[in-house]
Amino acid sequence: MTDLDAFMSRLSPEMCVVTAAAGAQRSGCLVSFSSQCSMRPVRFVVWISRANHTYAVARAADRLAVHLLTREQHGLAALFGGETGDRTDKFAQVPWTRGHGGSVLLEEAAAWFVGSVEQRVDGGDHVGFVLAPEDWGSRAEGPLLRLDDARDISPGHPV
């Protein structure tokens, strides 16, 4: 293990599920790389793997929805992190609704926001989608699901 690996292994960011809709397609994935990236104006960035089914849909989408999960929602995280949209319709297994601008909102998420895609940033094997929040809501309190809580989820695609 390198010193950089040792550093990175100590991090445990909040996990989120990002959903995308473009035309008749919809997709969603579990994301561990995300952060607010500006205060004025408020901007948030989510990083999606190029190997992920969600990336192809997100690339064509005008908006993405970002959902926070609580630790008790490990099953929802496992569905969106451990299954791939190449083989599984994840939305057939959970309650969801259309949101602002045709976005896809998970009804069981603890909190969510919909953001318009302002910019796409090449980050290597991931692409950053810089989002301008347009609509948001909150449904449940509780400790958020973090990377340490989800390490047992095997990714639907190779990392």
Side-chain angles (χ1 to χ4, degrees):
M1 178 183 281
T2 68
D3 289 342
L4 182 58
D5 290 335
F7 177 89
M8 296 295 190
S9 69
R10 296 181 74 177
L11 300 176
S12 185
E14 290 89 8
M15 303 293 286
C16 58
V17 172
V18 176
T19 58
Q25 290 189 303
R26 62 180 187 242
S27 192
C29 64
L30 186 65
V31 170
S32 61
F33 303 152
S34 67
S35 176
Q36 182 175 343
C37 58
S38 175
M39 292 170 43
R40 290 190 184 94
V42 173
R43 295 294 181 265
F44 194 88
V45 63
V46 293
W47 295 89
I48 300 175
S49 169
R50 292 176 187 272
N52 198 304
H53 180 269
T54 303
Y55 171 70
V57 180
R59 195 175 56 196
D62 295 328
R63 290 172 179 80
L64 301 179
V66 179
H67 306 80
L68 294 177
L69 306 178
T70 65
R71 288 183 183 152
E72 290 75 33
Q73 294 177 302
H74 186 275
L76 191 56
L79 174 64
F80 280 89
E83 298 292 331
T84 174
D86 295 317
R87 294 186 298 269
T88 303
D89 179 2
K90 301 172 195 179
F91 298 96
Q93 301 178 46
V94 296
W96 62 277
T97 188
R98 287 282 179 192
H100 178 76
S103 60
V104 179
L105 299 178
L106 302 177
E107 292 182 7
E108 296 175 348
W112 56 270
F113 82 88
V114 175
S116 62
V117 178
E118 295 253 311
Q119 185 177 359
R120 291 167 181 86
V121 180
D122 183 352
D125 61 2
H126 283 64
V127 171
F129 291 79
V130 179
L131 306 175
E134 297 179 326
D135 192 28
W136 48 86
S138 183
R139 297 185 182 103
E141 296 294 323
L144 295 178
L145 182 80
R146 301 181 72 85
L147 179 59
D148 283 344
D149 302 318
R151 289 198 191 272
D152 64 324
I153 299 171
S154 297
H157 279 285
V159 178

